[in-house]
């Protein structure tokens, strides 16, 4: 959803949060010419993808990429003005998962760097853990997808719009190995979000509104946008590689 869409509806964006912030078009694998010709959004006939998928199951990123080289680090440094982001009136919350503790860490505007964005999208089967302040981090989706608490505690707004990327529900039972792994990935990444939504619903019922933090929880309205889900139509693609440009 674009900011212009929100403005047309009389809404103003104050805060943005997320995890697994992989830049659009960053997936290293593309559809085969046959799939493009037939208009299929699948990598089933891509020899490189099949080989890559098998290699990721047999070898770790430390085996295949011992130096930990990641071309996205330089791209982010060149394309993103982190100094401007630090001063932006729109507050940003980016989550990464601490490998040692298993807990999510939320990075704010002034803390954003290329490594923070890479950490938020660091799938452990594809990339080496990103080290920040002496701690290793993996994809933030494992601990908060996204983390909602700061949107309530550190925001004066009373409405939070959640744009669903991974489907919560999917018809049919996955049968192939790839379908099973993909659905398992969707379920695990959605679990943290669903738990937070249930917690917020409970707090709205039991929290003493008053004028303190209880009032913030009681006054927050959550809106789940299921209409803007262009990525869910990409059948059989690993969630980490879904984007509409490849």
């Amino acid at each position: 959803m674009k900011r212009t869409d929100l403005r047309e509806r009389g809404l103003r964006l104050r805060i943005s949060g997320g995890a697994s912030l992989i830049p659009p078009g960053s997936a290293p694998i593309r559809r085969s010419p046959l799939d493009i010709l037939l208009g299929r959004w699948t990598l089933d006939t891509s020899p490189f993808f099949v080989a890559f998928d098998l290699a990721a199951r047999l070898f770790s990123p430390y085996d295949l990429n011992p130096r930990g080289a990641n071309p996205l680090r330089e791209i982010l440094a060149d394309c993103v003005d982190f100094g401007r982001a630090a001063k932006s009136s729109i507050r940003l919350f980016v989550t990464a998962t601490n490998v040692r503790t298993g807990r999510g860490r939320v990075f704010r505007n002034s803390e954003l760097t290329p490594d923070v964005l890479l950490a938020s999208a660091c799938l452990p089967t594809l990339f080496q853990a990103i080290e920040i302040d002496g701690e290793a981090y993996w994809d933030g989706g494992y601990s908060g997808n996204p983390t909602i608490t700061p949107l309530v505690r550190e925001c004066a707004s009373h409405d939070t719009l959640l744009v669903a990327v991974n489907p919560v529900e999917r018809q049919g039972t996955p049968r192939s190995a790839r379908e099973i792994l993909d659905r398992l990935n969707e379920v695990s990444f959605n679990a943290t979000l669903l738990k937070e939504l249930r917690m917020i619903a409970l707090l709205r019922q039991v929290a003493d509104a008053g004028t303190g933090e209880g009032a913030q929880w009681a006054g927050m309205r959550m809106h789940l946008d299921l209409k803007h889900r262009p990525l869910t139509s990409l059948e059989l693609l690993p969630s980490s590689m879904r984007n509409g440009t490849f």
Side-chain angles (χ1 to χ4, degrees), residues 16-38:
S16 178
S20 305
L21 299 180
I22 299 179
S26 65
I29 303 175
R30 301 291 186 262
R31 289 182 296 165
S32 68
L34 176 61
D35 289 324
I36 296 176
L37 179 64
L38 297 178

Side-chain angles (χ1 to χ4, degrees), residues 4-5 19 25 30-31 36 39 63 92 100 107 123 128 130 133 177 201 205-207 213 228 232 236 240-241:
T4 52
D5 296 333
R30 301 291 186 262
R31 289 182 296 165
I36 296 176
D63 298 322
L92 302 174
R100 179 177 60 85
F107 296 87
L123 295 173
Q128 291 189 20
I130 304 298
D133 298 333
Q205 296 177 6
V206 302
E213 184 175 334
H228 294 80
T232 61
L236 305 182
S240 60
M241 296 181 179

Side-chain angles (χ1 to χ4, degrees), residues 1 162-171 183 186 190 193 224-235 242-244:
M1 178 176 290
L162 297 174
V163 181
V165 176
N166 286 330
V168 176
E169 297 183 4
R170 186 181 286 278
Q171 298 300 319
R183 184 55 181 155
E186 291 173 344
N190 284 329
L193 172 62
L224 181 59
D225 186 351
L226 297 176
K227 295 181 180 180
H228 294 80
R229 297 194 303 177
L231 306 185
T232 61
S233 62
L234 309 184
E235 294 296 326
R242 289 175 178 155
N243 63 79

